[in-house]
Amino acid sequence: MTAATARRIVIENCAIATVDAEGTEHAEGHLVVAGNRIESVGPGPAPRDLPGVARRVDAAGHLATPGLVNTHHHFYQWLTRGLAQNCNLFDWLVTLYPIWARIDEPMVHAAARGSLAMMARGGVTTAMDHHYVFPRGAGDLLGAEIRAARELGVRFTATRGSMDRGASDGGLPPDFAVETTEEALAASERAVAEHHDPSPGSMLHVAVAPCSPFSVSTELMREAAALARRLGVRLHTHGSETVEEEKYCHELFGMGPTDYFESTGWLGEDVWMAHCVHMSDADIAAFARTGTGVAHCPSSNARVAAGIARVPDMLTAGVPVGLGVDGTASNEAGELHTELRNALLISRLGPHREKALTARQALRLGTAGGARVLGRQAEIGSLEPGKLADLVLWRLDGLGHSTIADPVAALVFGPPAPVTLSLINGLPVVENGRLRTADEDTIAAEARTQSRRLARLAADA
């Protein structure tokens, strides 16, 4: 489809935060979408003589932003929300791994639909998932997630995770929930071959993602890095999440997490890590020097008492940082737009206090920052001509926001703003706060059924 023949959507009369490199904003402006691309963005009304306009949206009282980009999640945990409520990370994992080790394909599909629906309804246009639990005989779990994202119309980065260090080898997961090193590497290579789409405008990327230093052998870490680079895909894992992990790495490897990651080939522009809470100045400098990205998950970090990540220092050093929901067993809300607010507020509890983050920095973390972390900054993360038409209209003239004059502050500081329209790849996925691509009540019922089935299986084990 050429620009001359493209179906156009015109959005006008709204405030616009483009989140481009200059931070361009319009108090009252317009966007024109042609097919699956943004054709123009600017102040004032759109041209009146545009051909092929299929829809005009009067967006008065709204703020238009790029769609939110989630950089870390575990969809399967949608079925185990509300458990282990007062645990630190290690106790939380010990409590939940025996339950998670009994998931199967129908459960993961239902959980993925629930997770994706909740995020999409709250302005996420690009989702990511880190799936690393593969019980034997459980079915095609990664395929179940990919199918769910396709059904809901959400742009997706699926990471094929892995664990090869079970309880008998000193790891946390039960032995029957881990793979051998060879199995994990072969399955990761198959996942990339079968599902990764590197073409322009792709709706599906696949990355390689061993779980964490305390559930993965050094051999798997090294070989996974080599595999991903041979295949030309990105790398993801958990890093520096807790003080216990720091101690574990020193005891097992004789070095801290960042030095361990560097020794196994796990620093670079093609790598991003979740959490990165306990980072020294030298760690931050290493991430900045190598372009290694961070998925900041403020609510989850608080939920499991992991600590406050040094996001202001990372940004000052030039580390790529995006936002992550994390699994909903440690963030029961499951929404990324609440992480804009939580990232700002929690950072202000740290040493930088009120100077830690601004509202606009928080919005950038959730959009352009996330796009950079996922390696997609050329296509998504800002509202600019030629970029993919992934955008959100937030209603700000209602009860929760109408007295906050600054629309970006209203979005970030205020209560969760209703989504009037979300476009992904130029297509409406959410309208007036409801999914267009699936029935929310059906998704909720399916997830409830599978959650109860999982609980029964775990109780009977």
Side-chain angles (χ1 to χ4, degrees):
M1 181 181 293
T2 66
T5 61
R7 168 185 171 273
R8 286 181 171 83
I9 299 174
V10 175
I11 300 168
E12 49 195 351
N13 303 323
C14 57
I16 301 174
T18 68
V19 201
D20 63 8
E22 293 75 32
T24 305
E25 296 182 14
H26 304 294
E28 186 172 310
H30 72 273
L31 295 118
V32 178
V33 170
N36 71 337
R37 299 275 173 176
I38 297 170
E39 186 174 61
S40 65
V41 184
R48 306 310 298 178
D49 57 351
L50 286 171
V53 175
R55 181 176 181 183
R56 282 187 179 269
V57 179
D58 182 353
H62 289 74
L63 170 67
T65 72
L68 301 184
V69 179
N70 183 36
T71 61
H72 185 66
H73 210 316
H74 308 293
F75 290 170
Y76 70 90
Q77 292 181 16
W78 188 259
L79 305 183
T80 57
R81 294 191 292 167
L83 304 180
Q85 296 176 17
N86 303 306
C87 293
N88 65 24
L89 177 67
F90 271 45
D91 292 340
W92 179 84
L93 288 171
V94 169
T95 301
L96 291 171
Y97 264 135
I99 303 173
W100 296 338
R102 288 163 177 83
I103 59 173
D104 61 17
E105 186 173 342
M107 293 178 192
V108 171
H109 182 251
R113 282 169 61 85
S115 298
L116 287 161
M118 199 70 189
M119 285 189 293
R121 208 177 65 168
V124 168
T125 55
T126 296
M128 172 274 176
D129 192 65
H130 185 191
H131 190 89
Y132 54 83
V133 182
F134 291 92
R136 298 186 185 281
D140 184 5
L141 304 188
L142 192 70
E145 295 191 326
I146 291 169
R147 191 167 74 251
R150 186 177 296 118
E151 290 163 356
L152 270 64
V154 177
R155 202 176 303 280
F156 189 34
T157 293
T159 69
R160 207 296 177 177
S162 53
M163 300 186 291
D164 67 345
R165 187 193 294 276
S168 64
D169 293 323
L172 290 178
D175 286 346
F176 65 85
V178 303
E179 303 169 287
T180 67
T181 306
E182 294 74 19
E183 286 171 339
L185 291 168
S188 297
E189 184 161 9
R190 280 197 307 274
V192 174
E194 293 174 5
H195 299 296
H196 180 62
D197 176 10
S199 65
S202 168
M203 291 292 289
L204 177 62
H205 281 184
V206 176
V208 176
C211 181
S212 65
F214 47 83
S215 59
V216 172
S217 68
T218 298
E219 181 185 3
L220 180 52
M221 291 296 291
R222 287 199 180 107
E223 293 300 320
L227 172 67
R229 288 175 178 132
R230 175 167 61 83
L231 299 177
V233 298
R234 298 179 75 77
L235 286 156
H236 181 61
T237 192
H238 297 91
S240 301
E241 187 171 359
T242 65
V243 291
E244 291 85 1
E245 179 186 335
E246 176 89 16
K247 180 181 177 182
Y248 180 91
C249 286
H250 276 286
E251 290 177 351
L252 196 64
F253 311 122
M255 63 187 87
T258 298
D259 289 338
Y260 173 67
F261 287 130
E262 187 157 31
S263 76
T264 56
W266 271 78
L267 296 185
E269 292 183 354
D270 55 352
V271 179
W272 83 105
M273 298 189 196
H275 303 297
C276 299
V277 175
H278 298 278
M279 300 273 281
S280 67
D281 289 347
D283 296 332
I284 291 173
F287 272 54
R289 170 175 50 82
T290 57
T292 305
V294 171
H296 176 44
C297 306
S299 295
S300 177
N301 294 343
R303 165 71 154 83
V304 296
I308 301 173
R310 296 176 59 187
V311 171
D313 297 327
M314 294 179 195
L315 295 176
T316 297
V319 176
V321 183
L323 290 181
V325 170
D326 203 7
T328 47
S330 66
N331 176 3
E332 277 72 7
E335 298 179 297
L336 192 68
H337 63 322
T338 58
E339 300 305 295
L340 303 176
R341 186 174 194 263
N342 290 344
L344 183 148
L345 295 181
I346 290 175
S347 288
R348 291 187 177 190
L349 295 175
H352 297 281
R353 297 171 61 86
E354 69 277 4
K355 304 294 186 183
L357 286 180
T358 67
R360 283 160 177 80
Q361 284 177 308
L363 178 59
R364 185 170 292 275
L365 289 177
T367 53
R372 183 182 174 194
V373 163
L374 295 185
R376 303 207 67 173
Q377 63 269 34
E379 293 190 304
I380 61 173
S382 62
L383 301 178
E384 300 179 76
K387 286 204 167 183
L388 292 167
D390 293 5
L391 60 92
V392 179
L393 278 180
W394 309 90
R395 184 182 174 192
L396 299 179
D397 60 356
L399 178 63
H401 305 87
S402 66
T403 56
I404 305 176
D406 177 351
V408 175
L411 177 65
V412 175
F413 281 97
V419 173
T420 293
L421 180 64
S422 174
L423 298 182
I424 302 178
N425 213 38
L427 299 174
V429 172
V430 177
E431 292 204 52
N432 298 315
R434 299 286 293 184
L435 282 175
R436 281 277 306 270
T437 52
D439 181 74
E440 295 178 20
D441 294 335
T442 300
I443 291 173
E446 290 171 347
R448 181 170 57 249
T449 296
Q450 294 300 332
S451 177
R452 291 174 177 173
R453 187 167 74 88
L454 176 59
R456 288 194 302 272
L457 289 174
D460 292 341

